[in-house]
Every structure is written in structure tokens, then in C-alpha cells.
Amino acid sequence: MTLEAIAPLPCSSRNEAPTQLPVLPLVPISRPHLPASRAEMDARGWDAVDVVLVTGDAYVDHPAFAMGILGRVLEAAGFRVAILSQPDWRSAEPWRQFGRPRLFFGVSAGNMDSMINHYTANKKVRNDDAYSPGGRIGLRPDRATIPYCHRSREAFPGVPIIAGGVEASLRRLAHYDYWSDTVKRSILLDSKADLVVFGMGEQPIVEIARRLQAGESTRNLRDMRAVAYAMGASETPPADAFVLPTFEEVKADKHRFAEATKRIHLETNPLNARRLVQYHDRQAVVCNPPGLPISQDDMDRTYGLPFTRRPHPMYKAERIPAYEVVKDSVTIMRGCFGGCTFCSITAHQGRIIQSRSQESILTELKQMGQDPKFSGVVSDIGGPTANMYQMRCTRPEVEAKCKRLSCVHPTVCKLLGTDHGPLIELMKQSRETPGISKVHVASGIRMDLAQKSPEYLEELATHHVGGHLKVAPEHTDPAVLKLMKKPDSEDYAGFAEAFQKASRKAGKKQFLVPYYIASHPGSDLNAMIDLAVFLKRNGYRPDQVQDFIPAPFDIATCMYYTGMDPFTGAEVYVAQHLRDRKLQRALMQFFKPENYFMVREALLKAARQDLIGSGCDCLIPANPPQAALQARREKANESLGEGKYVHQIPPQGSKGYRPGRTSAQRRQGKKQGS
């Protein structure tokens, strides 16, 4: 295969906007995967590598995977890069296979926080890992960033360690850890990483590589945006930094934890954010302002790199579930100004929308269309939100000062540009691309924005929905929706009506698939019962239920831990006990026989006996159906582990039930004495 030279990506200046360079021609040429073993490194004739990227995910060379992008941007900048994917963390030997890296180890737990990847909301081990070959579990450790950094240090002392990715980003300061139910200190201190790069990492990682290659130390890199670092006990933090409540304070006092959360989130607009400092005993952790939004030219350059769009060949026939979902998707933008309190996207990708050019997107579609293995169906063109493409504040001078956490809550900001025109044109052009037979929109739709453009809804319903459209109203209770920073339930009703109207106009019978969250802060049994009644009235029977998981850094996580809204100080109900969470989950699937007795318990506990019986709104019948009884028996048998009923009558000739109990021994003694 012919390999074309790729010009290096521009290196962002330390405090200014990234350098703007002309977009290079985008050509449908891919390169082989980066070396993932010593043999592959040797095959390239390399005696050493500049950077080893360590990841908890399988190595997939696709722009939807962090290591795919980071590896390619470093390669494009002229660096030799090796990928250490899902190494055995029990030994440092896997870290030594490429030899001592000339510049640094780049460490990430993967595309997800490793604890969310491993455990359900009920803290049970998940049955599969979507980012591992064959969906196998156990290929990465808990809190993977920490042991990965330790093994990097053990393998080659003195080599700089740069941690990044979602896990490190969301744990860069003191944070609540749901799985241990404790407030943990900054991951910088536990991992001993030299720096944490938070947010999207393409530009910071290239700048780090270039400056280290130029002879600078990691201490020199502390002036960069989007980095956090730990100072020595004798060092003095920058004078311009805002000092947060200390780790000891937020650990001991929930009010101080809420205060810190509020301040951290108010300093997330990169155009006006201040540097933050948080002391852990005598050691200061410094968090610089977030990175500036990436330019359209640089977005185009990044997504135009020569990805193979496939997993590394070492996985052979094993499928990687997460890849199967996104392999035929195209990212058109990043960032989200929704600011939902339970979502980490805004915290990681930023609130300012960053979009690719139409030319760049269509070029990627053309490449896909030329692939003989491509089916012709694009599974998604979108991003965190499908219909925020090229939307931005119309007043840059106001945007530069704005501290608002959501541009669409409690109402859509009047300064927000909500024109769907560029997206509509892109959708039209996408389905006319050679080799493309169908283009779906599977990313979430922001319903309040979509209703502002009937033309967009018609385009969507006519050409880009395959019978079902997923949307996320999340709840029906006004108080819960306010805490989520989501629109009122009337917004969903209005969207549903508009979507059905557009579908009928297109001559199609299509349905909405709404997603809801159980056990979100503020949601009590009464709120969930009202949601269940809403679901029944509208004929919704959700197959999957999303349980609220308190991810580090999120505002909703602060509510869960403290029981208060960090911005108002108001008390917030929290379903913290496992039984309460199970009841809320069961109410969302009230129609399942195995949930009958839990739904009944919830209704009785809330004094809603009116919903038990045969009435129109009744969630369950008065008497348990046979399937519910059978499900309860099967569950009881599973708990025994021996396949026996709890009250199974012992066979004739047996010693009976609990023959060793004291009363049985006493009776036996009396018989012998008589």
C-alpha cells in the first residue's frame, strides 16, 4: 500500500488559541496499525519508540477510540508510537517489551472510567466488557490508571508518565468514589503521574511530545492548559489560582464538598476559567484552565488521518462489542452545551461545540463507500448530541464572560445559534455520497432544539430513521428534571407529536424509544410511580433500564453524596439504599412478571394501593400471576445454589429439616430415656 506523508499537526501555544493552518488534502489512504508488540516494532526497523500509549481497551484504529486518535496524531507529528493494550498489570514485564521510551508513557484506563466499565449501579460485576475482545471481563484492573502508572514507573524509572482519558480527567481533584463510598484524593497523588491531561488530548499530547523532545522537563510543562499536576510540600502554588476547600475539608464536611463542586464547575469555560488549587495536607494539586476549543481545520486534520477503521489483527476472529456499534459511524462534532448534571460529556469534551467541515465529513463517507467490506449503511452521523452541529453562541464577547452551565436550561439562551441549516445540508449530501445507501442518525436528539426546525424534523423522519428513534426525556417529574437540567415533560410530548406528524407526512409508521433514569437524585418512589403510570398510559415497555451511577466529578454525584444541590443548598432526596434503588428500577419495568412483588412492595410503601387491581392505570393485578410466582420460586432456588425449593418437603427416611437443632436432640434423648 502506498503511504503518503502527513504534515505534523500544529502545536497549540501555551496560553493562546491553537495555531490555524490550512487543511491538508484528505485522501482515502490508510496505514498499518501502530506496533502493538515487540515483533511489530522490530519489523519496522525501529530500535526504540518515542511514546508508549498504555490503554485498558482493546486497540482499535478508529477515530471513535481514544488510542486510535492519539496514536495517529503523534505519528502525524513525526513520533514513533507503540500501543500497549490491556497489559497484565501484575508485572512490569509487558511495559518493558518496547524498551525504554525516549519521551514518555501515555496512560489511560480506556474510553470509560474503569469502575463504571466493571460494575453495575448495584455494584455487581458486569457480565461483559464492551471494549475487550470477545467482550471478556478481567482484562483491566479496577481504577486502572493507578496500577498502569505504577508499572510504568517500575519498568523504567525516570521516564515521564502522562495520565489522561476519562478516568484521570474526572478524578483530577478530590472526588466521591461510589464503589468505595468514600471521598478519594486526586488521582495524581495515588498514581504518581507527572501530569494529568484532562479533556480531549490530541493537541496537548503533541505539545508535550514536542517540548519533551526539545529538552524541557515535565516541570516546564506546568504552564500548559488542560493539565493538572501535584506540587511538592515545599513548593508555592501560582498566585493567581483560586483555592478550593482542602481534601481534608471536603472529606469531613459535605457542605464543603458541595462548595468545591460548585466552584469547579463554574470554572469550566476555557474562555474565562481560572486556575484551581486544592491542598491535600501540605501538598497542593494544581488544575490549570481547560484547553481551548479545537479549530475546524484541526478537527478536519485529525479525522482525516489514515485510520484503518479496524481492530488490530491480533484479535483475529474475536469481536469487540463497542467497535461493532460504532464501526460504520461518523463523528461530525464534539462537545455539548446541554450541561446535564448526570452526564460527564460536557466536563470532558467541553461546552463549546466543535464541528468538522462538510468537506471533511463527506470525504470520510466516500472512503467508507470505497471499502469492499462496508455494507453501505452508515449507522450514525452525530456526536454527543446529533443536532448541535455548528451551533455556537452568536455573541463571542458574551461567550467569553459567560459562566452559565447550560445554554438550554432552564430555557434556550436567546444568544445561542440554533440554525439547523448546515446540518440539514450535510444530511442531504451524505446520502448522495457514492457507495452510501442509507444514513442513520443514532446519536441523541436534543428535542427542544429540534422543535425549532420543522424542516430538520422532516428531513430526519423521512430519510434518517430506521423505524425507531432513540430519545432521552430521562424523567417526568418536574423537580427531578430541574435537578437534571432537562426540559419539562411537555417538551417530550411536543417533540413526539411533531415527530409523528413528520413521519406521517413521509408515509412512514415510526416510533420513539424513550430512555429514562431510575434513582437519580430527587427521584423518590412517588416520582417513579408517576413515571410508571406515564409509561403505561403511553404504551411504553422499556427493554433496558438505566440506573443512575454516580460518576466522579458530576454535579448529580455531588447531590447523591451530600444530599443537597450544590448551587442552591436545597435538600435533595437520594435513594442510597440498594433496596430503594431496586424498587425504582422495578417500577420502570412494572409489566415484567419477575418484578411483580417488588412493584407491589413499592406501591404499598407509597400508599398507592389504587394502582393495584384491574383499573386503567393499575400497574399490577391484585393477585400475582402464575409467572410471577414461578419467577419468585426460581429466584429462591438460585439463592440456595442447589436447585431445591426453600420449603421443599424432605423425602421419606430423611432426618428432617435441621436435624442437628437443640430441640431435636432433646426429643431424641427423651425417646431413648423412655
Side-chain angles (χ1 to χ4, degrees):
M1 179 181 293
T2 303
L3 304 179
E4 291 201 0
I6 303 174
L9 289 172
C11 175
S12 64
S13 63
R14 300 173 192 181
N15 293 298
E16 302 300 326
T19 305
Q20 302 295 318
L21 292 181
V23 182
L24 296 177
L26 302 172
V27 291
I29 293 178
S30 63
R31 287 186 170 182
H33 287 79
L34 298 172
S37 67
R38 179 71 193 209
E40 292 177 13
M41 171 185 154
D42 292 340
R44 292 198 176 201
W46 294 355
D47 58 349
V49 295
D50 298 312
V51 180
V52 175
L53 295 179
V54 185
T55 176
D57 292 339
Y59 172 31
V60 180
D61 186 37
H62 188 287
F65 291 78
M67 284 303 142
I69 284 186
L70 296 178
R72 289 300 185 187
V73 296
L74 284 168
E75 178 191 47
F79 297 101
R80 292 179 176 181
V81 185
I83 306 292
L84 183 56
S85 172
Q86 298 186 317
D88 183 353
W89 65 96
R90 301 170 188 87
S91 165
E93 286 309 309
W95 275 257
R96 296 188 176 109
Q97 64 179 296
F98 301 108
R100 185 183 183 90
R102 292 180 53 250
L103 299 178
F104 64 89
F105 281 105
V107 174
S108 171
N111 272 22
M112 294 176 63
D113 183 281
S114 61
M115 300 303 287
I116 296 178
N117 178 279
H118 283 173
Y119 302 100
T120 68
N122 293 334
K123 302 184 181 179
K124 292 184 177 180
V125 177
R126 296 188 188 275
N127 296 323
D128 54 26
D129 181 344
Y131 290 90
S132 293
R136 284 178 284 138
I137 62 174
L139 298 184
R140 82 185 85 205
D142 287 356
R143 303 180 180 88
T145 303
I146 296 172
Y148 285 172
C149 287
H150 291 174
R151 291 295 174 259
S152 300
R153 187 76 71 201
E154 180 183 350
F156 294 106
V159 173
I161 298 172
I162 313 299
V166 172
E167 180 169 281
S169 290
L170 303 186
R171 297 173 182 264
R172 62 186 183 266
L173 293 164
H175 56 280
Y176 173 70
D177 182 78
Y178 170 64
W179 298 270
S180 63
D181 193 25
T182 60
V183 175
K184 288 188 172 292
R185 60 184 190 164
S186 166
I187 199 170
L188 274 158
L189 302 179
D190 290 331
S191 68
K192 308 297 183 184
D194 293 286
L195 297 173
V196 160
V197 173
F198 60 91
M200 304 300 281
E202 306 102 316
Q203 292 194 327
I205 202 169
V206 172
E207 180 172 347
I208 288 169
R210 286 178 169 165
R211 292 177 66 179
L212 290 177
Q213 181 169 255
E216 296 188 58
S217 69
T218 53
R219 186 179 293 266
N220 298 131
L221 304 180
R222 291 178 175 181
D223 61 356
M224 287 179 57
R225 282 180 170 269
V227 302
Y229 56 92
M231 305 188 74
S234 62
E235 292 184 271
T236 303
D240 63 345
F242 181 90
V243 181
L244 298 168
T246 68
F247 166 69
E248 290 75 21
E249 289 174 331
V250 300
K251 186 177 177 66
D253 186 343
K254 292 183 177 180
H255 286 86
R256 297 291 276 167
F257 186 96
E259 180 185 337
T261 299
K262 176 181 177 180
R263 177 48 56 188
I264 291 168
H265 282 270
L266 287 175
E267 301 297 338
T268 52
N269 181 350
L271 303 179
N272 57 45
R274 290 183 287 177
R275 183 181 283 109
L276 300 174
V277 169
Q278 185 176 56
Y279 278 94
H280 294 61
D281 193 14
R282 294 189 303 127
Q283 193 169 11
V285 172
V286 182
C287 184
N288 287 346
L292 293 166
I294 189 172
S295 70
Q296 180 173 284
D297 284 358
D298 287 344
M299 281 274 283
D300 289 355
R301 193 185 310 279
T302 295
Y303 286 90
L305 292 173
F307 301 98
T308 64
R309 297 185 65 90
R310 289 184 172 84
H312 190 279
M314 64 182 167
Y315 303 118
K316 299 178 182 178
E318 285 190 293
R319 292 193 170 192
I320 299 166
Y323 166 72
E324 296 297 326
V325 173
V326 301
K327 65 177 182 178
D328 295 329
S329 67
V330 175
T331 300
I332 64 174
M333 47 76 66
R334 67 171 58 157
C336 180
F337 48 67
C340 299
T341 59
F342 55 86
C343 181
S344 302
I345 291 174
T346 299
H348 190 67
Q349 294 195 3
R351 189 168 294 107
I352 299 173
I353 301 302
Q354 301 139 83
S355 303
R356 296 169 62 185
S357 69
Q358 179 174 299
E359 177 192 4
S360 168
I361 297 165
L362 295 178
T363 298
E364 184 173 348
L365 289 170
K366 290 176 185 176
Q367 290 179 268
M368 294 170 63
Q370 294 170 7
D371 187 341
K373 295 184 178 180
F374 176 57
S375 66
V377 178
V378 178
S379 61
D380 183 31
I381 53 168
T385 305
N387 59 324
M388 289 185 181
Y389 179 69
Q390 291 197 8
M391 292 186 180
R392 186 100 183 243
C393 182
T394 58
R395 296 276 299 277
E397 70 278 11
V398 175
E399 182 183 39
K401 300 176 182 178
C402 184
K403 293 281 188 180
R404 187 170 170 172
L405 298 184
S406 172
C407 299
V408 289
H409 187 273
T411 59
V412 177
C413 178
K414 62 181 181 181
L415 299 181
L416 178 65
T418 60
D419 180 17
H420 283 71
L423 179 57
I424 293 170
E425 178 61 25
L426 173 63
M427 293 162 72
K428 291 178 179 178
Q429 292 292 330
S430 68
R431 60 179 185 266
E432 295 175 2
T433 302
I436 304 297
S437 59
K438 181 73 175 178
V439 179
H440 291 292
V441 172
S443 298
I445 300 292
R446 186 75 197 193
M447 295 179 287
D448 46 2
L449 295 177
Q451 292 178 75
K452 292 181 174 292
S453 176
E455 184 183 355
Y456 169 74
L457 271 176
E458 289 183 10
E459 188 77 13
L460 180 73
T462 304
H463 301 288
H464 299 278
V465 177
H468 294 84
L469 178 66
K470 297 176 182 178
V471 291
E474 308 296 6
H475 217 287
T476 55
D477 185 85
V480 178
L481 290 168
K482 184 177 180 181
L483 291 172
M484 291 177 166
K485 293 192 183 298
K486 294 289 289 188
D488 289 338
S489 56
E490 289 79 9
D491 177 75
Y492 171 67
F495 178 83
E497 182 180 351
F499 178 73
Q500 291 303 334
K501 180 180 178 181
S503 296
R504 287 193 297 269
K505 184 176 180 180
K508 295 184 174 183
K509 189 174 183 180
Q510 301 184 132
F511 304 93
L512 294 178
V513 180
Y515 281 74
Y516 295 93
I517 297 179
S519 304
H520 189 278
S523 178
D524 58 14
L525 274 183
N526 288 317
M528 289 303 297
I529 289 169
D530 290 343
L531 173 55
V533 171
F534 170 84
L535 294 174
K536 182 174 183 183
R537 287 176 178 173
N538 288 274
Y540 294 136
R541 293 194 164 198
D543 290 330
Q544 296 179 333
V545 175
Q546 184 178 357
D547 283 337
F548 170 69
I549 299 181
F553 201 88
D554 291 349
I555 295 172
T557 299
C558 175
M559 296 180 196
Y560 175 87
Y561 171 61
T562 65
M564 68 183 80
D565 184 335
F567 290 90
T568 66
E571 184 178 347
V572 175
Y573 169 81
V574 176
Q576 285 191 324
H577 297 294
L578 182 59
R579 188 67 179 178
D580 293 335
R581 293 170 68 87
K582 286 184 175 180
L583 292 178
Q584 291 207 21
R585 180 185 178 90
L587 282 164
M588 292 251 281
Q589 295 178 313
F590 62 89
F591 49 87
K592 289 192 171 185
E594 60 267 30
N595 289 339
Y596 176 89
F597 291 101
M598 294 198 74
V599 173
R600 183 182 181 87
E601 178 184 340
L603 294 175
L604 293 176
K605 189 174 182 179
R608 293 300 305 270
Q609 293 90 333
D610 57 304
L611 297 178
I612 302 174
S614 56
C616 292
D617 284 341
C618 287
L619 299 178
I620 55 173
N623 297 316
Q626 189 63 35
L629 294 170
Q630 180 64 24
R632 183 166 68 171
R633 283 195 294 267
E634 290 175 355
K635 187 174 181 180
N637 293 340
E638 290 174 4
S639 67
L640 284 179
E642 295 181 2
K644 295 181 180 179
Y645 289 130
V646 176
H647 299 297
Q648 185 174 4
I649 299 173
Q652 279 189 327
S654 72
K655 294 184 178 180
Y657 180 60
R658 290 177 59 204
R661 68 192 186 280
T662 303
S663 58
Q665 294 172 354
R666 191 178 297 121
R667 282 198 298 270
Q668 184 65 22
K670 287 181 180 180
K671 287 181 180 180
Q672 292 174 352
S674 63

